[in-house]
């Protein structure tokens, strides 16, 4: 039994799709009013996490060498900046569409990468560092993003009424 | 560039260790009193999640063919059964020790598996099903457990006071 790189890539991409579908299901289950609530007193609002996860996904295009972010202001607004309830956000309907569109475009773009490209370095690591640390490849980045989305998924379900969860 | 199975295994095991350390750090940061609180009104208490994640880790011994669970009653109590605030739980100090001991023993046992064993089927899938679905291997199970632990990690930090988080 000699596992191929293609099998490993398929395992991680499938895990990504599974997590992405779960997170989408939670966003779809929440009303705009519920998304405007904080996941716990003084913590991020659901709407901020919607923008945050979209920003993190959009940023993967650049990290994977698949193009430039479609939402160039999002990384500053939803990753570098914390949630500020008084700050103006895009309309929730727009954010929902951006979540869906970014997720679909990312999956399509990722499916064009070959196993060799997945195991090659991501754009934020130098060739020298990569020679010493070959685990710093694109596939490893995607694995961390699955866990990151799972982390916020665990928080977002708290916005659902208990009987709905 | 031809990634070896050993590199893929190392990527996932490193991700597991990273997530496990993060979760441990949150448990260590929380007092017994904080662990007795619910992560949100009507949801699981921190102490239940401490037992739950220990039970899930303990169950991996069997799934990976590494031995029997050390805490055979935990799966029923902390996975099959939901949190019931009136139910008697082990003392929190005991649960904390079981978390630490199970995590250390699991890591040690997992480090004895060869890459070939990681890419072989887990004990809950038949040889016939595995022939059709080669992604149903041990490494894939561990990937799902990383995401699962990340999910509850995102909830547990809500028990920290905001300024501590």
């Amino acid at each position: 039994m000699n596992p191929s790189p293609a099998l490993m890539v398929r395992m991680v991409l499938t895990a990504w799709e599974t997590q992405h579908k779960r997170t989408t299901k939670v966003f779809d289950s929440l009303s705009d009013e519920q998304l405007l609530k904080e996941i716990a007193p003084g913590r991020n609002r659901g709407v901020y996490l919607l923008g945050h996860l979209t920003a993190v996904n959009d940023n993967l295009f650049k990290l994977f060498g698949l193009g430039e972010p479609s939402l160039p202001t999002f990384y500053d607004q939803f990753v570098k900046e914390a949630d500020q309830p008084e700050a103006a956000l895009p309309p929730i309907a727009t954010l929902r569409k951006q979540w869906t569109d970014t997720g679909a475009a990312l999956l399509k773009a990722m499916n064009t990468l070959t196993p060799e490209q997945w195991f090659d370095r991501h754009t934020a690591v130098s060739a020298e560092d990569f020679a010493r640390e070959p685990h710093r490849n694109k596939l490893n980045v995607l694995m961390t993003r699955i866990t990151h989305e799972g982390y916020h998924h665990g928080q977002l379900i708290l916005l659902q009424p208990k009987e709905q969860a």
Side-chain angles (χ1 to χ4, degrees), chain A residues 120-147:
Chain A
D120 200 358
R121 66 189 169 103
H122 56 81
T123 62
V125 63
S126 70
E128 294 72 31
D129 286 347
F130 185 66
R132 280 193 305 274
E133 304 173 298
H135 65 278
R136 298 179 69 181
N137 51 50
K138 298 183 186 76
L139 201 62
N140 207 45
V141 170
L142 189 60
M143 280 173 43
T144 68
R145 295 308 187 271
I146 296 169
T147 311

PDB file of all heavy atoms in Angstrom, chain A residues 120-147:
ATOM      1  N   ASP A 120       3.880  21.996  -2.929  1.00  0.00           N
ATOM      2  CA  ASP A 120       4.911  23.016  -3.099  1.00  0.00           C
ATOM      3  C   ASP A 120       4.631  24.146  -2.105  1.00  0.00           C
ATOM      4  O   ASP A 120       3.560  24.231  -1.509  1.00  0.00           O
ATOM      5  CB  ASP A 120       4.880  23.521  -4.546  1.00  0.00           C
ATOM      6  CG  ASP A 120       6.192  24.201  -4.932  1.00  0.00           C
ATOM      7  OD1 ASP A 120       7.096  24.309  -4.071  1.00  0.00           O
ATOM      8  OD2 ASP A 120       6.291  24.633  -6.092  1.00  0.00           O
ATOM      9  N   ARG A 121       5.602  25.026  -1.947  1.00  0.00           N
ATOM     10  CA  ARG A 121       5.484  26.076  -0.931  1.00  0.00           C
ATOM     11  C   ARG A 121       4.367  27.057  -1.244  1.00  0.00           C
ATOM     12  O   ARG A 121       3.994  27.266  -2.389  1.00  0.00           O
ATOM     13  CB  ARG A 121       6.813  26.820  -0.809  1.00  0.00           C
ATOM     14  CG  ARG A 121       7.205  27.618  -2.039  1.00  0.00           C
ATOM     15  CD  ARG A 121       8.636  28.121  -1.891  1.00  0.00           C
ATOM     16  NE  ARG A 121       9.128  28.659  -3.147  1.00  0.00           N
ATOM     17  CZ  ARG A 121       9.223  29.969  -3.404  1.00  0.00           C
ATOM     18  NH1 ARG A 121       8.883  30.862  -2.500  1.00  0.00           N
ATOM     19  NH2 ARG A 121       9.674  30.384  -4.569  1.00  0.00           N
ATOM     20  N   HIS A 122       3.826  27.659  -0.214  1.00  0.00           N
ATOM     21  CA  HIS A 122       2.867  28.740  -0.413  1.00  0.00           C
ATOM     22  C   HIS A 122       3.655  30.038  -0.603  1.00  0.00           C
ATOM     23  O   HIS A 122       4.874  30.071  -0.383  1.00  0.00           O
ATOM     24  CB  HIS A 122       1.853  28.819   0.732  1.00  0.00           C
ATOM     25  CG  HIS A 122       2.446  28.962   2.093  1.00  0.00           C
ATOM     26  ND1 HIS A 122       2.881  30.172   2.591  1.00  0.00           N
ATOM     27  CD2 HIS A 122       2.690  28.055   3.068  1.00  0.00           C
ATOM     28  CE1 HIS A 122       3.338  29.989   3.822  1.00  0.00           C
ATOM     29  NE2 HIS A 122       3.246  28.709   4.135  1.00  0.00           N
ATOM     30  N   THR A 123       2.973  31.099  -1.008  1.00  0.00           N
ATOM     31  CA  THR A 123       3.703  32.302  -1.450  1.00  0.00           C
ATOM     32  C   THR A 123       4.282  33.107  -0.300  1.00  0.00           C
ATOM     33  O   THR A 123       5.051  34.034  -0.520  1.00  0.00           O
ATOM     34  CB  THR A 123       2.791  33.222  -2.299  1.00  0.00           C
ATOM     35  OG1 THR A 123       1.688  33.648  -1.472  1.00  0.00           O
ATOM     36  CG2 THR A 123       2.269  32.498  -3.527  1.00  0.00           C
ATOM     37  N   ALA A 124       3.942  32.775   0.951  1.00  0.00           N
ATOM     38  CA  ALA A 124       4.474  33.540   2.081  1.00  0.00           C
ATOM     39  C   ALA A 124       5.702  32.878   2.695  1.00  0.00           C
ATOM     40  O   ALA A 124       6.194  33.334   3.723  1.00  0.00           O
ATOM     41  CB  ALA A 124       3.382  33.734   3.143  1.00  0.00           C
ATOM     42  N   VAL A 125       6.212  31.832   2.092  1.00  0.00           N
ATOM     43  CA  VAL A 125       7.433  31.193   2.601  1.00  0.00           C
ATOM     44  C   VAL A 125       8.491  31.253   1.487  1.00  0.00           C
ATOM     45  O   VAL A 125       8.169  31.073   0.302  1.00  0.00           O
ATOM     46  CB  VAL A 125       7.165  29.739   3.072  1.00  0.00           C
ATOM     47  CG1 VAL A 125       6.713  28.850   1.940  1.00  0.00           C
ATOM     48  CG2 VAL A 125       8.394  29.128   3.736  1.00  0.00           C
ATOM     49  N   SER A 126       9.713  31.531   1.883  1.00  0.00           N
ATOM     50  CA  SER A 126      10.786  31.651   0.888  1.00  0.00           C
ATOM     51  C   SER A 126      11.259  30.265   0.444  1.00  0.00           C
ATOM     52  O   SER A 126      11.047  29.272   1.150  1.00  0.00           O
ATOM     53  CB  SER A 126      11.966  32.421   1.477  1.00  0.00           C
ATOM     54  OG  SER A 126      12.610  31.631   2.467  1.00  0.00           O
ATOM     55  N   ALA A 127      11.932  30.220  -0.699  1.00  0.00           N
ATOM     56  CA  ALA A 127      12.454  28.950  -1.201  1.00  0.00           C
ATOM     57  C   ALA A 127      13.463  28.368  -0.214  1.00  0.00           C
ATOM     58  O   ALA A 127      13.516  27.149  -0.015  1.00  0.00           O
ATOM     59  CB  ALA A 127      13.101  29.163  -2.573  1.00  0.00           C
ATOM     60  N   GLU A 128      14.245  29.231   0.418  1.00  0.00           N
ATOM     61  CA  GLU A 128      15.259  28.769   1.367  1.00  0.00           C
ATOM     62  C   GLU A 128      14.601  28.143   2.597  1.00  0.00           C
ATOM     63  O   GLU A 128      14.990  27.062   3.048  1.00  0.00           O
ATOM     64  CB  GLU A 128      16.155  29.936   1.826  1.00  0.00           C
ATOM     65  CG  GLU A 128      17.012  30.534   0.720  1.00  0.00           C
ATOM     66  CD  GLU A 128      16.188  31.352  -0.274  1.00  0.00           C
ATOM     67  OE1 GLU A 128      15.161  31.938   0.130  1.00  0.00           O
ATOM     68  OE2 GLU A 128      16.552  31.369  -1.475  1.00  0.00           O
ATOM     69  N   ASP A 129      13.604  28.840   3.145  1.00  0.00           N
ATOM     70  CA  ASP A 129      12.924  28.298   4.329  1.00  0.00           C
ATOM     71  C   ASP A 129      12.203  26.992   3.984  1.00  0.00           C
ATOM     72  O   ASP A 129      12.170  26.052   4.776  1.00  0.00           O
ATOM     73  CB  ASP A 129      11.910  29.311   4.877  1.00  0.00           C
ATOM     74  CG  ASP A 129      12.604  30.471   5.599  1.00  0.00           C
ATOM     75  OD1 ASP A 129      13.815  30.347   5.883  1.00  0.00           O
ATOM     76  OD2 ASP A 129      11.933  31.479   5.861  1.00  0.00           O
ATOM     77  N   PHE A 130      11.641  26.955   2.774  1.00  0.00           N
ATOM     78  CA  PHE A 130      10.884  25.774   2.376  1.00  0.00           C
ATOM     79  C   PHE A 130      11.792  24.545   2.233  1.00  0.00           C
ATOM     80  O   PHE A 130      11.388  23.421   2.536  1.00  0.00           O
ATOM     81  CB  PHE A 130      10.141  26.031   1.066  1.00  0.00           C
ATOM     82  CG  PHE A 130       9.249  24.901   0.648  1.00  0.00           C
ATOM     83  CD1 PHE A 130       8.136  24.561   1.413  1.00  0.00           C
ATOM     84  CD2 PHE A 130       9.502  24.169  -0.501  1.00  0.00           C
ATOM     85  CE1 PHE A 130       7.309  23.510   1.033  1.00  0.00           C
ATOM     86  CE2 PHE A 130       8.680  23.124  -0.881  1.00  0.00           C
ATOM     87  CZ  PHE A 130       7.579  22.791  -0.113  1.00  0.00           C
ATOM     88  N   ALA A 131      13.027  24.781   1.812  1.00  0.00           N
ATOM     89  CA  ALA A 131      13.967  23.664   1.685  1.00  0.00           C
ATOM     90  C   ALA A 131      14.212  23.019   3.048  1.00  0.00           C
ATOM     91  O   ALA A 131      14.383  21.800   3.156  1.00  0.00           O
ATOM     92  CB  ALA A 131      15.283  24.170   1.080  1.00  0.00           C
ATOM     93  N   ARG A 132      14.236  23.845   4.080  1.00  0.00           N
ATOM     94  CA  ARG A 132      14.441  23.315   5.439  1.00  0.00           C
ATOM     95  C   ARG A 132      13.145  22.785   6.048  1.00  0.00           C
ATOM     96  O   ARG A 132      13.163  21.889   6.888  1.00  0.00           O
ATOM     97  CB  ARG A 132      14.963  24.431   6.358  1.00  0.00           C
ATOM     98  CG  ARG A 132      16.442  24.729   6.247  1.00  0.00           C
ATOM     99  CD  ARG A 132      16.891  25.613   7.406  1.00  0.00           C
ATOM    100  NE  ARG A 132      16.108  26.848   7.509  1.00  0.00           N
ATOM    101  CZ  ARG A 132      16.372  27.967   6.842  1.00  0.00           C
ATOM    102  NH1 ARG A 132      17.397  28.015   6.038  1.00  0.00           N
ATOM    103  NH2 ARG A 132      15.610  29.043   6.981  1.00  0.00           N
ATOM    104  N   GLU A 133      12.011  23.388   5.657  1.00  0.00           N
ATOM    105  CA  GLU A 133      10.726  23.068   6.297  1.00  0.00           C
ATOM    106  C   GLU A 133       9.679  22.714   5.239  1.00  0.00           C
ATOM    107  O   GLU A 133       8.792  23.509   4.944  1.00  0.00           O
ATOM    108  CB  GLU A 133      10.260  24.272   7.139  1.00  0.00           C
ATOM    109  CG  GLU A 133      11.287  24.697   8.184  1.00  0.00           C
ATOM    110  CD  GLU A 133      10.884  25.993   8.874  1.00  0.00           C
ATOM    111  OE1 GLU A 133      10.767  27.034   8.202  1.00  0.00           O
ATOM    112  OE2 GLU A 133      10.650  25.952  10.095  1.00  0.00           O
ATOM    113  N   PRO A 134       9.793  21.489   4.693  1.00  0.00           N
ATOM    114  CA  PRO A 134       8.947  21.107   3.554  1.00  0.00           C
ATOM    115  C   PRO A 134       7.470  20.926   3.904  1.00  0.00           C
ATOM    116  O   PRO A 134       6.648  20.713   3.012  1.00  0.00           O
ATOM    117  CB  PRO A 134       9.562  19.773   3.096  1.00  0.00           C
ATOM    118  CG  PRO A 134      10.232  19.226   4.311  1.00  0.00           C
ATOM    119  CD  PRO A 134      10.738  20.424   5.071  1.00  0.00           C
ATOM    120  N   HIS A 135       7.139  20.997   5.197  1.00  0.00           N
ATOM    121  CA  HIS A 135       5.723  20.903   5.552  1.00  0.00           C
ATOM    122  C   HIS A 135       5.012  22.243   5.326  1.00  0.00           C
ATOM    123  O   HIS A 135       3.791  22.313   5.428  1.00  0.00           O
ATOM    124  CB  HIS A 135       5.578  20.500   7.021  1.00  0.00           C
ATOM    125  CG  HIS A 135       6.100  21.540   7.957  1.00  0.00           C
ATOM    126  ND1 HIS A 135       7.448  21.648   8.245  1.00  0.00           N
ATOM    127  CD2 HIS A 135       5.476  22.533   8.645  1.00  0.00           C
ATOM    128  CE1 HIS A 135       7.628  22.657   9.094  1.00  0.00           C
ATOM    129  NE2 HIS A 135       6.450  23.209   9.343  1.00  0.00           N
ATOM    130  N   ARG A 136       5.784  23.304   5.033  1.00  0.00           N
ATOM    131  CA  ARG A 136       5.142  24.619   4.850  1.00  0.00           C
ATOM    132  C   ARG A 136       4.640  24.757   3.412  1.00  0.00           C
ATOM    133  O   ARG A 136       4.992  25.649   2.657  1.00  0.00           O
ATOM    134  CB  ARG A 136       6.118  25.729   5.211  1.00  0.00           C
ATOM    135  CG  ARG A 136       6.530  25.645   6.679  1.00  0.00           C
ATOM    136  CD  ARG A 136       7.507  26.722   7.065  1.00  0.00           C
ATOM    137  NE  ARG A 136       6.872  28.026   7.065  1.00  0.00           N
ATOM    138  CZ  ARG A 136       7.516  29.163   7.359  1.00  0.00           C
ATOM    139  NH1 ARG A 136       8.792  29.126   7.665  1.00  0.00           N
ATOM    140  NH2 ARG A 136       6.872  30.314   7.342  1.00  0.00           N
ATOM    141  N   ASN A 137       3.776  23.839   3.056  1.00  0.00           N
ATOM    142  CA  ASN A 137       3.229  23.817   1.697  1.00  0.00           C
ATOM    143  C   ASN A 137       1.765  24.282   1.715  1.00  0.00           C
ATOM    144  O   ASN A 137       1.204  24.561   2.779  1.00  0.00           O
ATOM    145  CB  ASN A 137       3.364  22.390   1.132  1.00  0.00           C
ATOM    146  CG  ASN A 137       2.794  21.344   2.076  1.00  0.00           C
ATOM    147  OD1 ASN A 137       1.664  21.491   2.545  1.00  0.00           O
ATOM    148  ND2 ASN A 137       3.567  20.305   2.371  1.00  0.00           N
ATOM    149  N   LYS A 138       1.201  24.367   0.542  1.00  0.00           N
ATOM    150  CA  LYS A 138      -0.173  24.888   0.427  1.00  0.00           C
ATOM    151  C   LYS A 138      -1.172  23.996   1.165  1.00  0.00           C
ATOM    152  O   LYS A 138      -2.120  24.468   1.791  1.00  0.00           O
ATOM    153  CB  LYS A 138      -0.577  24.993  -1.046  1.00  0.00           C
ATOM    154  CG  LYS A 138       0.275  25.949  -1.874  1.00  0.00           C
ATOM    155  CD  LYS A 138      -0.256  26.043  -3.297  1.00  0.00           C
ATOM    156  CE  LYS A 138       0.640  26.858  -4.208  1.00  0.00           C
ATOM    157  NZ  LYS A 138       1.867  26.115  -4.641  1.00  0.00           N
ATOM    158  N   LEU A 139      -0.959  22.690   1.062  1.00  0.00           N
ATOM    159  CA  LEU A 139      -1.920  21.774   1.676  1.00  0.00           C
ATOM    160  C   LEU A 139      -1.960  21.977   3.199  1.00  0.00           C
ATOM    161  O   LEU A 139      -3.023  21.906   3.823  1.00  0.00           O
ATOM    162  CB  LEU A 139      -1.527  20.326   1.350  1.00  0.00           C
ATOM    163  CG  LEU A 139      -2.640  19.294   1.481  1.00  0.00           C
ATOM    164  CD1 LEU A 139      -3.779  19.591   0.524  1.00  0.00           C
ATOM    165  CD2 LEU A 139      -2.102  17.892   1.230  1.00  0.00           C
ATOM    166  N   ASN A 140      -0.810  22.253   3.774  1.00  0.00           N
ATOM    167  CA  ASN A 140      -0.741  22.492   5.206  1.00  0.00           C
ATOM    168  C   ASN A 140      -1.505  23.761   5.592  1.00  0.00           C
ATOM    169  O   ASN A 140      -2.180  23.812   6.618  1.00  0.00           O
ATOM    170  CB  ASN A 140       0.735  22.612   5.628  1.00  0.00           C
ATOM    171  CG  ASN A 140       0.950  22.224   7.064  1.00  0.00           C
ATOM    172  OD1 ASN A 140       0.430  21.212   7.523  1.00  0.00           O
ATOM    173  ND2 ASN A 140       1.705  23.035   7.786  1.00  0.00           N
ATOM    174  N   VAL A 141      -1.400  24.769   4.739  1.00  0.00           N
ATOM    175  CA  VAL A 141      -2.156  26.006   4.991  1.00  0.00           C
ATOM    176  C   VAL A 141      -3.656  25.710   4.985  1.00  0.00           C
ATOM    177  O   VAL A 141      -4.397  26.150   5.866  1.00  0.00           O
ATOM    178  CB  VAL A 141      -1.820  27.083   3.930  1.00  0.00           C
ATOM    179  CG1 VAL A 141      -2.785  28.270   4.032  1.00  0.00           C
ATOM    180  CG2 VAL A 141      -0.379  27.550   4.086  1.00  0.00           C
ATOM    181  N   LEU A 142      -4.098  24.928   4.009  1.00  0.00           N
ATOM    182  CA  LEU A 142      -5.529  24.634   3.934  1.00  0.00           C
ATOM    183  C   LEU A 142      -5.984  23.853   5.181  1.00  0.00           C
ATOM    184  O   LEU A 142      -7.079  24.089   5.703  1.00  0.00           O
ATOM    185  CB  LEU A 142      -5.859  23.854   2.658  1.00  0.00           C
ATOM    186  CG  LEU A 142      -7.359  23.691   2.388  1.00  0.00           C
ATOM    187  CD1 LEU A 142      -8.060  25.034   2.237  1.00  0.00           C
ATOM    188  CD2 LEU A 142      -7.603  22.842   1.149  1.00  0.00           C
ATOM    189  N   MET A 143      -5.137  22.957   5.661  1.00  0.00           N
ATOM    190  CA  MET A 143      -5.480  22.238   6.895  1.00  0.00           C
ATOM    191  C   MET A 143      -5.701  23.208   8.065  1.00  0.00           C
ATOM    192  O   MET A 143      -6.652  23.056   8.836  1.00  0.00           O
ATOM    193  CB  MET A 143      -4.386  21.222   7.244  1.00  0.00           C
ATOM    194  CG  MET A 143      -4.487  19.922   6.442  1.00  0.00           C
ATOM    195  SD  MET A 143      -3.068  18.803   6.705  1.00  0.00           S
ATOM    196  CE  MET A 143      -2.854  18.904   8.465  1.00  0.00           C
ATOM    197  N   THR A 144      -4.834  24.207   8.193  1.00  0.00           N
ATOM    198  CA  THR A 144      -5.027  25.163   9.305  1.00  0.00           C
ATOM    199  C   THR A 144      -6.302  25.963   9.107  1.00  0.00           C
ATOM    200  O   THR A 144      -6.959  26.326  10.084  1.00  0.00           O
ATOM    201  CB  THR A 144      -3.840  26.147   9.431  1.00  0.00           C
ATOM    202  OG1 THR A 144      -3.820  27.014   8.294  1.00  0.00           O
ATOM    203  CG2 THR A 144      -2.513  25.427   9.579  1.00  0.00           C
ATOM    204  N   ARG A 145      -6.667  26.228   7.859  1.00  0.00           N
ATOM    205  CA  ARG A 145      -7.884  27.006   7.617  1.00  0.00           C
ATOM    206  C   ARG A 145      -9.143  26.190   7.925  1.00  0.00           C
ATOM    207  O   ARG A 145     -10.182  26.764   8.277  1.00  0.00           O
ATOM    208  CB  ARG A 145      -7.924  27.520   6.180  1.00  0.00           C
ATOM    209  CG  ARG A 145      -6.828  28.512   5.832  1.00  0.00           C
ATOM    210  CD  ARG A 145      -6.731  29.668   6.820  1.00  0.00           C
ATOM    211  NE  ARG A 145      -5.788  30.674   6.362  1.00  0.00           N
ATOM    212  CZ  ARG A 145      -4.470  30.662   6.631  1.00  0.00           C
ATOM    213  NH1 ARG A 145      -3.937  29.726   7.384  1.00  0.00           N
ATOM    214  NH2 ARG A 145      -3.681  31.637   6.174  1.00  0.00           N
ATOM    215  N   ILE A 146      -9.074  24.886   7.758  1.00  0.00           N
ATOM    216  CA  ILE A 146     -10.218  24.039   8.130  1.00  0.00           C
ATOM    217  C   ILE A 146     -10.443  24.133   9.645  1.00  0.00           C
ATOM    218  O   ILE A 146     -11.560  24.329  10.120  1.00  0.00           O
ATOM    219  CB  ILE A 146      -9.970  22.570   7.716  1.00  0.00           C
ATOM    220  CG1 ILE A 146      -9.861  22.447   6.198  1.00  0.00           C
ATOM    221  CG2 ILE A 146     -11.102  21.664   8.241  1.00  0.00           C
ATOM    222  CD1 ILE A 146      -9.356  21.075   5.715  1.00  0.00           C
ATOM    223  N   THR A 147      -9.364  24.005  10.407  1.00  0.00           N
ATOM    224  CA  THR A 147      -9.491  24.091  11.863  1.00  0.00           C
ATOM    225  C   THR A 147      -9.986  25.477  12.282  1.00  0.00           C
ATOM    226  O   THR A 147     -10.812  25.605  13.189  1.00  0.00           O
ATOM    227  CB  THR A 147      -8.134  23.804  12.531  1.00  0.00           C
ATOM    228  OG1 THR A 147      -7.594  22.603  11.975  1.00  0.00           O
ATOM    229  CG2 THR A 147      -8.300  23.633  14.026  1.00  0.00           C
TER     230      THR A 147
END
